[in-house]
Amino acid sequence: MTIEYNGDPERLRGSANNTAACLGELESHLKALFMVQDDLHDAVQSKGTGVAIYNSLGDAHSKGKILAGTLQEIIDELNNTGVQVELQDLEGAGRVNAALGNDHAVDAGSWSESSAAKINTSW
């Protein structure tokens, strides 16, 4: 079963670039979270609360890193798909141009009444 895709490679690359911008923002926030984790742990007077904050921020940081990895996979796939779609379009156009020939007209051959196969109607 063939799946037909009519997407625009430029839009795929544009989506990849937008996702990359979001990934950059996420990574900036993750760095800030990592930097503040130790400060909050030290600043909180209650040892139990400080440890809980430290662990919660560490967990959030880990989940953010997993999300960042997934976003990177999406970016890579969007870029790869855009390139593949563009290559398939070019290959398809090449096949059409080759079929058209130099005069860019469809070569359907010639037909005459004498060259047509006779149909047997005597049953």
Side-chain angles (χ1 to χ4, degrees):
M1 177 177 161
T2 302
I3 298 173
E4 186 174 322
Y5 175 74
N6 295 317
D8 180 6
E10 286 302 316
R11 290 189 68 193
L12 288 172
R13 283 191 283 275
S15 295
N17 291 339
N18 290 340
T19 305
C22 293
L23 175 59
E25 186 176 341
L26 172 65
E27 288 175 339
S28 293
H29 290 302
L30 288 173
K31 277 184 190 172
L33 181 66
F34 185 73
M35 299 297 278
V36 79
Q37 184 180 13
D38 287 331
D39 293 340
L40 279 174
H41 177 260
D42 294 340
V44 174
Q45 298 297 318
S46 167
K47 183 177 170 103
T49 304
V51 169
I53 290 171
Y54 185 84
N55 290 340
S56 293
L57 292 177
D59 186 47
H61 186 265
S62 295
K63 289 179 181 175
K65 284 294 198 181
I66 292 169
L67 175 60
T70 302
L71 285 174
Q72 187 61 56
E73 288 175 19
I74 291 169
I75 292 165
D76 293 343
E77 195 60 36
L78 283 170
N79 280 322
N80 291 338
T81 301
V83 168
Q84 289 172 359
V85 167
E86 197 163 47
L87 287 175
Q88 289 173 351
D89 285 347
L90 291 172
E91 289 169 359
R95 287 192 299 272
V96 169
N97 287 334
L100 290 176
N102 291 334
D103 60 356
H104 298 290
V106 176
D107 184 10
S110 61
W111 180 84
S112 69
E113 202 170 315
S114 64
S115 66
K118 301 291 182 193
I119 300 174
N120 183 359
T121 59
S122 62
W123 325 4

